[in-house]
Amino acid sequence: MCPSRRNVALLLLALCALWGGCRRDAPAPAEQLLRLSQRNEPATLDPHLATLPDEFFLVRSLAEGLVVPSPNEEPPLPGVAARWETSPDGLTWTFHLRADARWSNGDPVTATDFVYSFRRALTPALGAPKAQLFFVLKNARAFYRGELADPAAIGVAAPDARTLVLTLEQPAPHLLALAASGPWLPVHPATVEKFGGAAARDGAWTAPGRYVGNGPFVLAEWRKGQHLLVTRNPHYRAADRIRLTGVRYQIYDSGDTEERAFRAGQVDITMAVPFTKLPSYEAPVLRRQPLHETRYFVLNTTRPPLNDARVRRALALALDRDALVRSVLRGAQRPALSFIPPGLGGYTGAAQLRPDAAAARALLADAGFPGGRGFPRLELAAWNVNPAILEAVQQMWRHELGLETAIVQREGKVHMAAVIAGDFAIALMPAIPDYDDAAALFGELATGAGGNFPRWSDARYDDLVRRAERETDPVRRLALYRAAEEILLAELPVVPLYFNAQDYLVAPRVSGWRQDPLWNRFFLDVTLSHESSPPPVRTAGLHERPRR
């Protein structure tokens, strides 16, 4: 070999050794830092004060409950609890905790820690927004409402350090689903007490350097408006399966900014993909995850003419959901012909809406508005979603029923406040269940429930839902919920529009990444390769005009 060629060969060998990329089976890089997109700055990292998926993304990386969601959409798996059993009457659940469960400071995780955590979540002075998820516990509701003063009366006890006993108000076949939810995550008692106590809402204990959790990662850094960094927790009970050295949640203010960062190789996994950019990507970079989330219209049943079920049904039957999903959304969303997402906690409904424009016109005429004449101009309110969704619905109602509506879009918090206050006529809303069971959504529409935004009441529906919540026989429980859904789809205080989906991007260097329909993310066995170049993109699609 001549000297020049020999030098080139030696240079290539040196570069191969430096890059570690000449072999397809090259080992993973020493730093396994996963870069995740975070669309919204979390308002809190306190599991008892968090409300949004964006917040629980982070909290779940820092804490672990008695049981954890299954990545295979199956019943919850053991978490801090290694095993459990239920009494024959379904009123007592006993959880046996792992001996190797540790907090990130090395303290053992004990049953007393869960007693403290559950009592804290029910402390009236804290005002936990998801406190109702603990009302299955005996006396929990009464304590939260101030009717009982002694927290020892709540149905949670620790006979010893590794045994937790829950006593329920009534049988709850969905107890494990509740225990796997975000609000049931534990807090470290000594840390909470050191920085303000159980009722403190300022989040002082959740700051980097203070947060003591029992999850796979530890909070290392939080730069407001930029990113949050979590690093591997060596005390985690399954630390040997956490291959990542850390996760950086990078905050982006828009989907376009996020997508550009992905193309530049600056983020590994996005939250979404702008619908105009969907044609630019293919699997496996493009992932499509159906969600247990219903996008629907709330109809304010206290406002005429929406207090008339015939009017509500006409509005529902006049919508062409297939056209909306196919021509406007253009992602993995599915038309919603029922309110409960199929598969939520294994639920499958029987009743479905059957869109019928002719029947809708007949119903509207029967209600006193033939051809839409005399019908008031109502506001169609939403947060800052894709306006094309609202415009499509507006056009359908105009074309099929002769109705005129005014579109009003506002910031998310303002929109939510208006809906809670009843200051709306028709409002677009998302129904995101807090846990993997149909009870999470059926219960929200019972009389007086916090999620009953339409202010609707039906004694038959309430009775069916109450009976289903405590029914332990799965066949009878399914029948009760199906009967409740028939009433819901006949009365239609809510108009299902579509089941949402998450279209997101995953860089080729990421292996083992999984998500589920409830926005849960799974970090066990996730690894990163040496690949650092930008992901493949079909650039021709980047300049396509959006289809209408």
Side-chain angles (χ1 to χ4, degrees), residues 275-350:
F275 78 98
T276 56
K277 304 294 178 65
L278 283 172
S280 306
Y281 296 95
E282 295 178 337
V285 170
L286 175 63
R287 307 282 178 92
R288 297 191 145 171
Q289 175 64 62
L291 299 173
H292 290 330
E293 175 188 337
T294 308
R295 293 288 173 95
Y296 68 102
F297 287 118
V298 184
L299 306 183
N300 191 335
T301 63
T302 67
R303 289 194 180 186
L306 299 176
N307 60 337
D308 189 328
R310 293 170 297 181
V311 171
R312 300 195 298 264
R313 191 162 185 81
L315 294 174
L317 297 184
L319 296 177
D320 186 344
R321 295 163 179 80
D322 287 318
L324 181 71
V325 167
R326 181 180 62 253
S327 302
V328 178
L329 298 169
R330 291 186 285 161
Q333 297 86 353
R334 297 158 292 160
L337 301 179
S338 59
F339 183 66
I340 308 299
L344 176 62
Y347 176 78
T348 54

Side-chain angles (χ1 to χ4, degrees), residues 34-69:
L34 181 68
R35 301 162 302 170
L36 290 179
S37 171
Q38 177 77 14
R39 187 62 62 81
N40 299 309
E41 183 93 36
T44 181
L45 296 181
D46 186 330
H48 301 149
L49 296 179
T51 58
L52 301 175
D54 306 67
E55 294 160 349
F56 283 116
F57 287 160
L58 283 145
V59 178
R60 282 191 179 279
S61 69
L62 302 171
E64 182 173 85
L66 293 169
V67 293
V68 298

